[in-house]
């Protein structure tokens, strides 16, 4: 039987509507949540993500401070800008779009962000708190995956989640969130990566399979158990002359074949992507509330 499609856009729209109401209530109290966005260089995918994040801020009433720096920006200048945003009381969250140009030291840049404004959930303090079960900003893509599962009624507790990919932005934090003693945790987790032997053996054990390898067609139908829930985090631009922009977005999952075996599946685009942006907005509103002593 063909899988039911998980509509990430619809789930995201529901959360954004809640956030919009919350932001207007905060504004009545004189509080406008603010996000400082930093983009270094002109990588087309990054430009497009940042544009989407800023548009989404506008839609829910979050103030966004756009900082587009040239690709050759020095480490010192970038860290100085982060320092300025750290001190700016209008800014409750800072997003440095990754990846950065090669000459910049990503870990040092992330370390410069005040953890109280790390709405991206990628500072070592945020990650360390999350791993040890303390309250922290959760990294947006894995948090979006969890919310998508929760709001679609997928049972996470006790299930075997197999994650393909061990990136700092998705695989690693997601695995740690899933083993927390929480409403979106209590799962048993297997992480697979480029050195995993017999990947299909592992993926076939999954009740919930998360593809986050960043490689199209990593997951084919033979790798999926009948009835599994399949979440596709991959987004790769593939040239396509029939499209106005000259490319289309493809996930890590061979969608057409896998949807015939899965019980639930996310599409690309329109699955996890809208949730990532939404959780960034959510964290920014949370941060504004914390700064005002409301939570
Ligand atoms: N690039 C792709 N995804 C992300 C993300 O979640 N955060 C940041 N900062 N950069 C990204």
């Amino acid at each position: 039987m063909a899988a039911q499609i998980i509509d990430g856009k619809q789930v995201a729209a529901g959360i954004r509507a809640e956030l919009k109401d919350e932001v207007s209530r905060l504004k009545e109290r004189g509080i406008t949540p603010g996000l400082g966005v930093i983009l270094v260089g002109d990588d087309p995918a990054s430009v497009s993500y940042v544009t989407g994040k800023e548009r989404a801020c506008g839609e829910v009433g979050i103030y966004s401070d756009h900082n587009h720096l040239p690709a050759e920006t020095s480490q010192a200048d970038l860290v100085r800008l982060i320092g300025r945003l750290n001190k700016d009381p209008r800014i409750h969250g800072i997003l440095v779009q990754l990846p950065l140009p090669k000459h910049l030291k990503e870990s040092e840049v992330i370390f410069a962000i005040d953890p109280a404004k790390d709405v991206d959930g990628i500072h070592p303090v945020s990650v360390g708190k999350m791993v040890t079960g303390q309250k922290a900003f959760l990294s947006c893509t894995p948090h979006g995956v969890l919310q998508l599962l929760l709001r679609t009624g997928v049972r996470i507790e006790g299930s075997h989640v197999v994650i393909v990919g061990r990136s700092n932005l998705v695989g690693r934090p997601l695995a740690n969130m899933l083993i927390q003693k929480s409403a979106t945790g209590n799962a048993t987790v297997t992480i697979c990566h480029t050195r995993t032997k017999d990947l299909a053996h592992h993926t076939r054990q999954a009740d919930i399979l998360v593809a986050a390898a960043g490689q199209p067609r990593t997951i084919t139908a033979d790798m999926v158990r009948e009835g599994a829930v399949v979440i596709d985090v991959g987004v790769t631009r593939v040239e396509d002359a029939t499209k106005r922009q000259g490319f289309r977005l493809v996930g890590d999952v061979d969608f057409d074949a896998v949807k015939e075996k899965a019980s639930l599946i996310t599409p690309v685009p329109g699955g996890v992507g809208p949730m990532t942006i939404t959780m960034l907005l959510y964290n920014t509103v949370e941060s504004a509330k914390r700064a005002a002593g409301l939570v």
Side-chain angles (χ1 to χ4, degrees), residues 38 46 49-50 53 94-100 110 113 120-122 139-142 169-170 276-277 280:
I38 302 177
S46 292
Y49 287 141
V50 162
K53 287 169 185 176
I94 298 171
L95 174 101
V96 181
Q97 184 65 27
L98 303 175
L100 290 167
I110 293 169
I113 299 169
D120 213 12
I122 57 174
S139 174
C140 302
T141 299
L169 282 174
V170 188
T276 297
I277 299 184
L280 178 70

Side-chain angles (χ1 to χ4, degrees), residues 1-293:
M1 205 179 77
Q4 191 186 325
I5 312 293
I6 300 178
D7 186 344
K9 266 202 231 165
Q10 194 185 356
V11 177
I15 303 173
R16 288 186 201 188
E18 291 166 22
L19 288 172
K20 191 172 176 179
D21 285 348
E22 191 157 18
V23 170
S24 50
R25 283 195 299 275
L26 286 171
K27 284 183 174 172
E28 283 165 15
R29 307 174 74 153
I31 301 159
T32 300
L35 177 69
V37 179
I38 302 177
L39 171 65
V40 187
D42 298 293
D43 171 66
S46 292
V47 170
S48 158
Y49 287 141
V50 162
T51 306
K53 287 169 185 176
E54 288 174 333
R55 189 185 306 129
C57 279
E59 281 164 11
V60 301
I62 293 175
Y63 160 69
S64 69
D65 178 29
H66 177 76
N67 299 272
H68 191 174
L69 308 179
E72 55 283 1
T73 298
S74 70
Q75 180 87 10
D77 283 348
L78 179 54
V79 168
R80 231 187 321 274
L81 171 60
I82 293 170
R84 185 172 70 66
L85 295 174
N86 281 342
K87 290 204 201 89
D88 187 337
R90 294 170 305 169
I91 299 298
H92 304 99
I94 298 171
L95 174 101
V96 181
Q97 184 65 27
L98 303 175
L100 290 167
K102 292 260 179 303
H103 68 281
L104 295 168
K105 294 193 193 78
E106 197 168 285
S107 57
E108 286 180 18
V109 170
I110 293 169
F111 205 68
I113 299 169
D114 178 349
K117 297 192 177 187
D118 175 34
V119 292
D120 213 12
I122 57 174
H123 189 288
V125 168
S126 307
V127 178
K129 282 185 170 177
M130 179 274 287
V131 169
T132 53
Q134 301 172 65
K135 199 169 164 48
F137 289 121
L138 298 181
S139 174
C140 302
T141 299
H143 192 193
V145 169
L146 296 184
Q147 287 299 320
L148 209 46
L149 293 170
L150 187 70
R151 289 169 188 252
T152 324
V154 174
R155 187 176 170 80
I156 299 174
E157 178 166 317
S159 64
H160 183 194
V161 184
V162 178
I163 302 170
V164 182
R166 56 177 157 183
S167 68
N168 284 343
L169 282 174
V170 188
R172 289 175 203 214
L174 179 60
N176 282 284
M177 289 175 201
L178 284 163
I179 57 169
Q180 299 301 317
K181 290 183 178 170
S182 72
T184 51
N186 292 313
T188 302
V189 179
T190 299
I191 306 183
C192 301
H193 46 75
T194 42
R195 301 294 169 93
T196 297
K197 287 189 212 157
D198 196 357
L199 178 60
H201 164 78
H202 295 283
T203 58
R204 279 196 289 264
Q205 315 298 314
D207 300 313
I208 302 172
L209 177 59
V210 181
Q215 281 295 329
R217 290 183 59 86
T218 300
I219 306 298
T220 49
D222 58 304
M223 299 169 77
V224 178
R225 191 175 59 75
E226 196 75 45
V229 174
V230 178
I231 305 292
D232 192 350
V233 185
V235 201
T236 304
R237 288 181 170 209
V238 174
E239 265 186 48
D240 186 340
T242 68
K243 301 283 176 199
R244 187 175 47 84
Q245 294 160 305
F247 67 87
R248 65 193 153 88
L249 297 179
V250 299
D252 289 355
V253 175
D254 181 4
F255 183 84
D256 289 336
V258 171
K259 81 173 186 328
E260 299 303 323
K261 275 185 108 175
S263 59
L264 283 165
I265 188 167
T266 60
V268 176
V272 174
M275 293 300 291
T276 297
I277 299 184
T278 302
M279 300 331 292
L280 178 70
L281 306 177
Y282 174 89
N283 282 348
T284 305
V285 172
E286 255 331 274
S287 184
K289 291 196 295 189
R290 280 187 210 175

